[in-house]
Amino acid sequence: MQKKSRIILALDVTSRADATRVVNAVRDYVDAIKINWPLILAAGPDIIREMSKVKDVVCDLKIADIPNTNRMIVEQAMSLGASAVIAHGFTGDDSVRACVEAAKGQVFVVTEMSHPGGKQFTAPVADKLAALAKSVGARGIVAPATRPERIADLRKIIGSMEIISPGVGAQGGKASDALKAGADYIIVGRAIYEAQDPASAAKALADEVERSV
Ligand code: 3DU
């Protein structure tokens, strides 16, 4: 995954036509495309292969099962062209390790989630989830742009591993705050794909990123 604009597009649209339109508009301003269940369920898993021809694809399946099932899910995602996957860590280190092995390390582990409810169950164990991600050799963690101070805390636990950070824009977080707190990439969905002009919105974010790193 290139590290240029530091923007990962969360492509949570629900048709192949919308996905293609948004990606064509913003491809020069994003480093990767994150694909989640809404688009996979709407357009079919082949959308992963299609988008992987344009940019690196992070498959956000929030994988959370026993090790054998996790391994099978990751193998399917990688064979469709994903460059990395996102998995939950609360399932325990054997389950996350199965993902890491199947993805040859290319796993981001969810820590504290960015929405208000993320404080309820994920925040109290986020430090442990970050430590788990490190101990199993994951590529990085997912940490909240809505609480940049937590990005800084989690950075201390994981050292030089990567942090990808959702919550910018529609959820109230700021790109510059997340990056200054230690995020490597910001994840942005609605602020780009729901904008009247997705290209201008993505460019404005890319400019903000450039000013803050
Ligand atoms: O709020 P946005 O529209 O910019 O989208 C954020 C994306 O990041 C979306 O795909 C969501 O599923 C994902 N995500 C979070 O928002 C929060 C997390 O803690 C983890 C992933």
Side-chain angles (χ1 to χ4, degrees):
M1 189 151 90
Q2 63 173 346
K3 197 171 183 181
K4 213 171 123 212
S5 73
R6 296 179 181 240
I7 297 170
I8 298 174
L9 171 67
L11 192 57
D12 298 327
V13 294
T14 50
S15 75
R16 173 173 263 106
D18 275 346
T20 307
R21 174 181 55 79
V22 173
V23 166
N24 284 343
V26 309
R27 56 191 293 169
D28 291 344
Y29 306 117
V30 304
D31 287 342
I33 300 169
K34 185 178 81 64
I35 298 184
N36 199 335
W37 288 110
L39 181 57
I40 295 171
L41 293 172
D46 245 4
I47 196 75
I48 297 168
R49 201 189 306 281
E50 215 171 290
M51 292 300 154
S52 71
K53 290 177 190 152
V54 185
K55 291 279 168 183
D56 283 336
V57 169
V58 178
C59 237
D60 184 3
L61 305 175
K62 304 245 172 35
I63 305 159
D65 217 309
I66 61 169
N68 187 59
T69 310
N70 273 5
R71 176 184 54 74
M72 290 196 288
I73 294 169
V74 174
E75 282 170 0
Q76 293 305 314
M78 301 309 276
S79 74
L80 283 164
S83 296
V85 295
I86 294 178
H88 271 298
F90 65 78
T91 49
D93 53 13
D94 53 352
S95 284
V96 184
R97 196 172 287 116
C99 294
V100 170
E101 283 168 11
K104 300 192 169 58
Q106 299 303 305
V107 176
F108 293 97
V109 177
V110 177
T111 59
E112 179 171 326
M113 295 191 75
S114 58
H115 63 310
K119 282 188 171 174
Q120 203 173 351
F121 295 111
T122 62
V125 294
D127 291 8
K128 283 186 182 170
L129 294 169
L132 181 152
K134 187 172 186 186
S135 74
V136 300
R139 173 171 172 175
I141 61 168
V142 187
T146 46
R147 290 174 223 112
E149 69 284 2
R150 293 296 293 139
I151 297 177
D153 293 342
L154 294 164
R155 165 63 72 205
K156 287 182 201 141
I157 295 168
I158 61 165
S160 60
M161 287 167 67
E162 284 182 329
I163 299 179
I164 61 176
S165 184
V168 169
Q171 296 182 51
K174 266 188 71 95
S176 50
D177 291 346
L179 292 163
K180 281 178 197 152
D184 293 282
Y185 297 88
I186 49 165
I187 296 170
V188 187
R190 286 164 288 177
I192 293 177
Y193 68 75
E194 284 184 353
Q196 198 122 41
D197 180 352
S200 306
K203 184 177 184 312
L205 273 165
D207 290 345
E208 181 183 344
V209 170
E210 208 172 293
R211 286 194 302 273
S212 52
V213 293

